[in-house]
Amino acid sequence: METKPTEISSGKMFGGYNKRFRHFSPTLGCSMNFHIYFPPSPSPSHKFPVLYFLSGLTCTDENFIFKSGAQRAASAEGVALVAPDTSPRGLNVEGEADSWDLGAGAGFYLNATQEKWKNWRMYDYVVKELPKLLSDNFPHLETSKASIFGHSMGGHGALTIYLKNQDKYKSVSAFAPIANPINCPWGQKAFSNYLGDNKSDWEDYDATCLVTKFPNVSSTILIDQGEDDKFLPDQLLPHKFEQACKKANVPLLLRFQPGYDHLYYFIATFIDDHIRHHAQALKS
């Protein structure tokens, strides 16, 4: 099984290159794809800081690369973008494709403890395996300088991963994150299946719970949320996260954007702000 990444596509954009790679993941027990956007390099020995983007439910590694327009600002700021997939693929676990919010395309960036979903270890894949893979195989990436952001389920992933690993990431931001999954239907369905019925285990993957446990946040957390997002009232719950941040004295910039929904038009509109937010932290 080829653990070393193989390039499967490449396309020039804003002076740099979108490149897609495939490798076998020992963490997940299957082949995985991921994208890297390499900005134009000022010199042959130049190393780029890394900004990971975690995508939402039903997405692959392609959605963000194709739809967000993030490459323009990443090129200008000299930041490499890394977009992994959202779950293991091709394992044929019973029920993995039965619903769009559980199984394939719905990894929730956790380490599942239930036997049926034992390969669903996207937390370890994103936090441990992928950075080492990048460090070992891409000399132009400075993986010790990294930040993380994401959308919806991926916003949840970015917030929880950042809060638990502030030694590994300089900054975090999110678009319409699932900010309090233990209290919303998406989170409850995923967590009960992946983690079992012990609700205290769920809190390890809930940003609203974690922010009180890990309050020493050095960089302001940026969140953009569309006001016309149909998932805002029942699924996303950013107000709960905001309350927890206030209580823990954690710096949060939560911006409600009038008229915007949950889709990539919203992400593309505000992506430059997020790239700049991370570039500032990565260069300081």
Side-chain angles (χ1 to χ4, degrees), residues 151-162:
H151 169 232
S152 195
M153 174 183 75
H156 139 77
L159 291 170
T160 54
I161 284 170
Y162 170 79

Side-chain angles (χ1 to χ4, degrees), residues 26-263:
T27 304
L28 305 174
C30 65
S31 287
M32 293 292 284
N33 297 330
F34 64 91
H35 265 91
I36 304 177
Y37 175 71
F38 294 96
S41 187
S43 72
S45 60
H46 186 77
K47 284 176 167 267
F48 298 106
V50 176
L51 177 54
Y52 296 93
F53 184 86
L54 306 183
S55 292
L57 288 162
T58 76
C59 290
T60 69
D61 59 303
E62 293 184 305
N63 301 68
F64 174 74
I65 294 295
F66 290 177
K67 294 181 175 180
S68 71
Q71 293 92 333
R72 185 193 298 269
S75 172
E77 295 288 351
V79 173
L81 302 172
V82 175
D85 203 345
T86 54
S87 77
R89 301 280 175 180
L91 292 168
N92 300 317
V93 172
E94 188 191 345
E96 72 169 41
D98 288 359
S99 56
W100 59 273
D101 54 358
L102 185 74
F108 272 86
Y109 305 101
L110 48 73
N111 289 335
T113 55
Q114 301 306 290
E115 181 61 24
K116 177 180 175 179
W117 302 104
K118 64 178 185 283
N119 293 75
W120 266 245
R121 299 182 62 80
M122 288 301 293
Y123 178 89
D124 275 358
Y125 179 73
V126 169
V127 175
K128 297 175 182 173
E129 183 179 338
L130 191 54
K132 185 169 188 329
L133 187 82
L134 298 177
S135 177
D136 289 349
N137 292 281
F138 299 99
H140 292 299
L141 299 182
E142 193 166 359
T143 50
S144 60
K145 284 190 178 170
S147 289
I148 192 164
F149 68 149
H151 169 232
S152 195
M153 174 183 75
H156 139 77
L159 291 170
T160 54
I161 284 170
Y162 170 79
L163 288 167
K164 290 199 273 192
N165 299 277
Q166 290 178 51
D167 57 324
K168 291 185 171 74
Y169 304 96
K170 308 280 187 197
S171 53
V172 68
S173 71
F175 296 93
I178 305 172
N180 187 202
I182 65 170
N183 287 316
C184 80
W186 281 339
Q188 289 162 353
K189 178 178 178 178
F191 289 3
S192 60
N193 278 278
Y194 295 144
L195 302 172
D197 295 328
N198 183 356
K199 302 226 169 135
S200 66
D201 293 341
W202 299 8
E203 293 179 5
D204 282 343
Y205 298 104
D206 184 300
T208 298
C209 301
L210 289 171
V211 86
T212 57
K213 283 187 192 171
F214 303 102
N216 298 322
V217 173
S218 55
S219 171
T220 299
I221 297 170
L222 171 63
I223 295 178
D224 276 312
Q225 171 63 59
E227 284 186 358
D228 285 13
D229 187 328
K230 67 181 178 184
F231 302 118
L232 174 57
D234 304 320
Q235 299 282 16
L236 305 176
L237 311 178
H239 294 100
K240 298 272 192 192
F241 184 68
E242 184 180 34
Q243 287 162 9
C245 285
K246 276 183 181 156
K247 203 170 168 185
N249 209 20
V250 166
L252 170 68
L253 178 57
L254 171 58
R255 309 191 302 189
F256 286 94
Q257 305 291 2
Y260 288 92
D261 60 19
H262 198 68
L263 302 176

